Amino acid sequence: MVFFKNQFSNVVEWEEFRDDMIFWKWSNREIKKGSKLIIRSGQDAIFINNGKIEGLFEDEGDYNIDSDIIPFLSTLKGFKFGFNSGMRVEVLFVNTKEFTVKWGTQNPVLIPTPQLPGGMPIRANGTFNFKVNDYVTLIDKIAGIKNSYLVEDVKLRITSVLDQLLMKWISREGKDMFNLQANASDIARGIREDLDMEVMDNGMTITGFQVMSFNYPKEIQDMITKTASHEMIGNLQKYQQVSMTDGIASGNVQGGGAASDMAGMMMGMNMANEMMKNINSNQNQSSNQQPSAPKASEPAQVPPDASQGSLKHNFCPNCGTKNEGANFCPNCGHKLN
């Protein structure tokens, strides 16, 4: 009798478990009398009969199907095993964990922007998280026709619509097209909400979406870097001076050749121009700071230490302007003698 029992009984378990598998279906076999159900950590077991859920078992452990499972099935609770017949049902094992998937744009996404008529070509990458949250919908839409479902299947569906969503939310939230990282959290939040609607009809939910970085073409990135350098240094002329100095110091402009001579000459001319500007600026400031001549109605300011005679001949009594023995003041025309 034990021989026949061992022949007919079986073990219902997730035989092909993979960490990247969302569900796996045990099907097309009869469950015999004396069979066991094994549920491991992170798994749920769903008994399905004619496309309808008969029972859901979530706690890990080993269960005797005769005594621990059948009494809790909705329409099969009164099932009796025959000598040579069993119960034909499907058992769907679902991975209950939250999955984390890396994503990245395969091709640049052209974001409309006034600065570039053809659009700004941008790549992006990051991660998203999802999990199964509706078993009825999952069975109705996917498990009813598939024996297994992988994370890669979900990733393919997500990436097929990701370019449009990136274009939508970058255009909406990307206030500074050259500094999208500053608005990455707002862009990611909008994309997550749209993706959640996309996978909801498969019985899953998007629990998180992250943008790790936005990447510009090399030419655009170089332009952004130079613009930042101009702002940091102050103006283009100083930037050129620093760039030239860096080029000579780094060896990109080699000494002893025409390029080096030209670079040295340009740098010297720039430095000379800057020095002349500074000298002229200082002179203008000094002249602006000299006291103005008093008005005709005001008495002339005479240096206290000069003699009376020298004042008559060297300074105009009307405006105080110094002269060299002239008969008339060169400033106001007042007669001196």
Side-chain angles (χ1 to χ4, degrees):
M1 199 68 180
V2 175
F3 171 76
F4 288 104
K5 183 176 181 180
N6 291 337
Q7 283 286 95
F8 297 137
S9 65
N10 46 30
V11 176
V12 181
E13 62 180 331
W14 192 334
E15 300 170 352
E16 301 180 12
F17 178 78
R18 289 171 47 178
D19 195 53
D20 65 337
M21 189 173 285
I22 301 171
F23 70 76
W24 179 81
K25 186 189 300 181
W26 190 97
S27 59
N28 298 325
R29 283 173 286 181
E30 287 185 333
I31 297 178
K32 304 295 184 179
K33 185 176 178 64
S35 298
K36 293 176 60 177
L37 170 68
I38 298 177
I39 302 178
R40 295 180 175 84
S41 177
Q43 300 176 3
D44 284 352
I46 306 172
F47 280 70
I48 305 171
N49 183 39
N50 295 325
K52 296 182 179 180
I53 295 178
E54 289 287 337
L56 169 63
F57 303 91
E58 300 174 322
D59 298 330
E60 62 177 298
D62 296 358
Y63 298 91
N64 187 295
I65 291 182
D66 295 23
S67 58
D68 300 328
I69 301 299
I70 291 179
F72 297 96
L73 301 181
S74 57
T75 60
L76 298 175
K77 61 178 60 180
F79 179 83
K80 300 295 183 181
F81 286 105
F83 176 75
N84 196 27
S85 64
M87 180 174 61
R88 185 173 293 278
V89 295
E90 296 178 329
V91 181
L92 184 70
F93 288 91
V94 180
N95 195 331
T96 61
K97 77 170 187 178
E98 181 182 74
F99 299 94
T100 300
V101 184
K102 295 180 179 180
W103 64 267
T105 52
Q106 299 296 320
N107 299 298
V109 180
L110 294 176
I111 306 299
T113 175
Q115 294 91 336
L116 295 174
M120 172 79 76
I122 293 175
R123 294 180 183 268
N125 64 82
T127 60
F128 69 88
N129 312 90
F130 75 96
K131 64 182 301 183
V132 177
N133 70 327
D134 186 347
Y135 289 156
V136 175
T137 302
L138 180 73
I139 293 169
D140 183 48
K141 295 298 181 67
I142 302 178
I145 57 177
K146 290 180 175 290
N147 290 326
S148 64
Y149 203 57
L150 300 176
V151 170
E152 186 65 22
D153 296 323
V154 176
K155 181 179 180 180
L156 289 174
R157 178 166 183 177
I158 293 297
T159 53
S160 68
V161 299
L162 197 52
D163 286 2
Q164 291 98 347
L165 294 180
L166 280 167
M167 183 179 298
K168 169 185 174 181
W169 286 101
I170 289 176
S171 300
R172 182 177 298 185
E173 300 291 343
K175 301 175 181 63
D176 183 357
M177 195 62 63
F178 295 96
N179 189 20
L180 292 175
Q181 204 64 41
N183 299 306
S185 60
D186 293 334
I187 295 172
R189 186 182 304 111
I191 293 176
R192 188 198 68 79
E193 293 173 356
D194 282 355
L195 286 180
D196 193 44
M197 297 296 293
E198 182 71 22
V199 300
M200 184 182 298
D201 60 352
N202 283 351
M204 288 171 280
T205 181
I206 301 294
T207 56
F209 186 88
Q210 299 80 32
V211 179
M212 303 304 294
S213 67
F214 293 100
N215 302 304
Y216 302 90
K218 185 179 184 302
E219 297 80 6
I220 300 294
Q221 187 60 57
D222 290 344
M223 182 181 68
I224 295 173
T225 303
K226 286 185 178 181
T227 302
S229 300
H230 298 168
E231 295 295 330
M232 179 181 67
I233 294 176
N235 58 50
L236 179 60
Q237 188 173 15
K238 289 185 178 180
Y239 174 76
Q240 290 173 340
Q241 295 173 3
V242 173
S243 298
M244 190 67 67
T245 304
D246 290 343
I248 295 175
S250 63
N252 292 332
V253 179
Q254 299 294 332
S260 176
D261 295 340
M262 181 64 70
M265 182 178 65
M266 290 176 62
M267 187 167 63
M269 292 175 62
N270 287 334
M271 293 177 65
N273 289 334
E274 285 298 314
M275 292 175 63
M276 292 301 297
K277 287 181 181 179
N278 291 333
I279 293 173
N280 293 334
S281 176
N282 292 334
Q283 290 178 344
N284 291 333
Q285 290 178 0
S286 298
S287 63
N288 292 333
Q289 291 174 358
Q290 291 180 356
S292 59
K295 297 180 180 179
S297 60
E298 296 178 352
Q301 299 297 321
V302 180
D305 56 344
S307 64
Q308 189 67 27
S310 62
L311 289 175
K312 180 178 179 180
H313 297 288
N314 294 329
F315 295 92
C316 176
N318 183 49
C319 67
T321 302
K322 184 178 179 180
N323 64 84
E324 298 296 336
N327 292 328
F328 295 91
C329 176
N331 181 50
C332 65
H334 183 78
K335 184 176 181 180
L336 300 179
N337 294 322

